[in-house]
């Protein structure tokens, strides 16, 4: 299952490479970088795999959707927003509305972001940081569910309620029902497993 979850980003790779090739990438990361589609404010990505009793989520979002900015937090107010967002992201049962009856227990929760003090993925091979500020927040969540048959729908409404600057989620779902993809919005936040 982990291989399936890890393979999902590679399914999007040919599109990203083709789109990036259309742009003359000369390290001017202004509007050019924002147009690459991998980082669009208001849009997050969610990969979900349900296999047997294992349920995994990979959540990626521009920091703007989560905390309202992408720069390093320096003010007390910004630091408080980062701390609060981290606490909310560390409660995946609530974030993903997992039904209690499925009895899913988190076995792994990992968050990463330059805002949390992690190395910026935009640093080059020499460790030099580029001028732009396009921070993202990444969350990986793994569960074991005692009653996975209870999981008929995936309700993402709490992501939209918790982080209202998130307007749309691009979801890739692998489950016993097959593989599917959808764009989910707050007005219609539920998918079938």
């Amino acid at each position: 299952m982990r291989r399936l979850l890890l393979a999902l980003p590679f399914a999007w790779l040919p599109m990203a490479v083709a789109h990036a090739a259309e742009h003359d990438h000369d390290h001017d990361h202004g509007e050019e970088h924002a147009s690459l589609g991998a980082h669009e404010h208001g849009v997050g990505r969610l990969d979900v795999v349900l296999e047997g009793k294992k349920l995994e989520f990979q959540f990626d979002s521009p920091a703007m959707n989560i905390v309202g900015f992408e720069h390093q937090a320096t003010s007390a107010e910004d630091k408080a927003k980062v701390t609060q967002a981290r606490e909310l992201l560390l409660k995946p049962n609530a974030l993903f509305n997992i039904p209690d009856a499925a009895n899913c227990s988190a076995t792994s929760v990992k968050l990463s972001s330059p805002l949390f003090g992690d190395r910026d993925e935009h640093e080059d091979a020499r460790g030099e940081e580029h001028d732009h500020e396009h921070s993202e927040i990444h969350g990986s969540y793994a569960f074991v569910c005692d009653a996975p048959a209870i999981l008929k729908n995936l309700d993402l409404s709490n992501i939209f309620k918790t982080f209202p600057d998130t307007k749309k989620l691009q979801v890739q779902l692998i489950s016993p029902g097959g593989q599917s993809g959808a764009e989910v919005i707050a007005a219609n936040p539920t998918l079938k497993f």
Side-chain angles (χ1 to χ4, degrees), residues 2-193:
R2 187 166 303 280
R3 281 180 271 159
L4 289 174
L5 185 60
L6 293 173
L8 283 172
F10 293 107
W12 290 79
L13 190 58
M15 281 193 322
V17 170
H19 187 73
E22 294 174 9
H23 296 278
D24 193 24
H25 197 250
D26 61 357
H27 283 81
D28 177 17
H29 293 293
E31 290 182 40
E32 187 102 5
H33 180 75
S35 69
L36 290 179
H39 184 98
E40 183 181 344
H41 293 173
V43 180
R45 294 177 310 276
L46 182 66
D47 297 330
V48 184
V49 176
L50 175 61
E51 182 179 62
K53 291 186 170 199
K54 295 180 183 176
L55 175 63
E56 295 188 8
F57 295 90
Q58 177 67 43
F59 178 58
D60 300 303
S61 176
M64 181 68 75
N65 300 355
I66 305 298
V67 294
F69 57 87
E70 295 186 331
H71 56 269
Q72 271 308 113
T74 53
S75 72
E77 181 183 354
D78 285 355
K79 287 178 181 179
K81 287 179 183 178
V82 169
T83 298
Q84 180 185 20
R86 187 175 173 85
E87 288 172 8
L88 293 168
L89 289 164
L90 287 171
K91 298 176 182 171
N93 286 68
L95 191 62
F96 299 113
N97 289 341
I98 299 172
D100 290 340
N103 199 22
C104 296
S105 301
T107 58
S108 173
V109 176
K110 295 177 185 171
L111 299 177
S112 66
S113 173
L115 296 182
F116 301 149
D118 299 320
R119 182 177 171 268
D120 187 342
E121 66 216 34
H122 294 291
E123 287 182 16
D124 65 21
R126 295 179 306 256
E128 295 177 13
E129 209 170 307
H130 293 287
D131 236 358
H132 54 83
E133 295 178 342
H134 289 287
S135 296
E136 291 202 357
I137 294 175
H138 307 282
S140 296
Y141 306 92
F143 297 85
V144 171
C145 302
D146 291 337
I150 296 290
L151 301 172
K152 302 288 186 202
N153 295 307
L154 177 60
D155 179 0
L156 301 173
S157 60
N158 276 355
I159 292 175
F160 295 106
K161 290 175 191 170
T162 305
F163 306 114
D165 287 337
T166 301
K167 304 300 180 197
K168 178 172 41 175
L169 288 171
Q170 296 172 338
V171 181
Q172 293 291 313
L173 177 67
I174 297 174
S175 69
Q179 182 174 350
S180 62
E183 287 191 350
V184 179
I185 59 173
N188 190 10
T190 304
L191 293 172
K192 290 190 183 296
F193 267 108

